[in-house]
Amino acid sequence: MSRCENYIRHYSLDAEHFDYFTNEDRTDRAYEKLFRKFIVRLAGGAGRTLDIGSGSGWISVVPHENLYYVDLSLRNLQSLKTDTSSPVLADAVHLPFKDESMNLIVASEIMEHLNSPDAAAREILRVMKPDGKAVVSTPYREKIRYTLCIHCNQPTPLNAHLTSFDKGGLVSLFPGCNVKAYIFGSKVMTLLRAAVLFENLPLWIWRLVNYPLIKLVDKAQHIVLELRKTSQS
């Protein structure tokens, strides 16, 4: 089945119809809170920060001097401007920033949406400073499902996810980097709807339970990479 030929237009239109950031399910909201805590913990603090596929702009909680939101939706970006941030209407595979200009890059839940995730990975490495860091996350071993697009009336991937990643596939996009890979969100805990019990507890308690379950049953919701450049990158 062919991929969407004009995903930029599709995503721009979708943003006018759907609010992806309002989740009515209590358990899903609790899990999202835990997952975002983990991303923020890995990100740490930085000066110039780039948020690719910024969506609701939640990454603004990471300490920063300047924050650049990149999104394909003008509607999303119009609500994100703050004193320390700048909205940028752009595509992840054509970032309008100078080489080695960013201390921190976050690409959370964006690579699976792209026709060319390898091109986006090259852009991340290009704009990352030599002593900088990137945090990249995607769904883990996702089974891609299809639905009928409301715009073109053609089969299109559900949630606009085009690619499913395992650890090897995602790491391979960033050759020459120092990589720490984390598998997050045991699906056993998802079935038990356990996130609600952990959302307000220290994150290490969730991880203490989460990782042994993933070792036991290799099914999880996300894979997260913490990337640093090497001299060869």
Side-chain angles (χ1 to χ4, degrees), residues 15-42:
E16 299 299 319
H17 290 271
F18 303 111
D19 181 0
Y20 294 110
F21 314 112
T22 300
N23 196 322
E24 300 299 329
D25 184 89
R26 178 73 178 85
T27 303
D28 288 348
R29 291 201 309 270
Y31 174 79
E32 190 71 15
K33 183 176 179 180
L34 289 163
F35 182 60
R36 290 179 177 183
K37 279 184 183 179
F38 185 62
I39 298 294
V40 169
R41 177 178 175 179
L42 291 182

Side-chain angles (χ1 to χ4, degrees), residues 167-186:
K167 177 181 175 180
L170 191 57
V171 170
S172 70
L173 296 179
F174 300 94
C177 280
N178 290 322
V179 181
K180 292 182 180 178
Y182 305 89
I183 308 300
F184 191 91
S186 166

Side-chain angles (χ1 to χ4, degrees), residues 48-52 67-68 70 95 97 102 104-106 127:
R48 290 168 60 89
T49 299
L50 174 60
D51 183 12
I52 303 175
L67 173 58
Y68 298 88
V70 168
L95 295 174
F97 302 102
M102 295 293 165
L104 171 66
I105 302 164
V106 178
V127 302

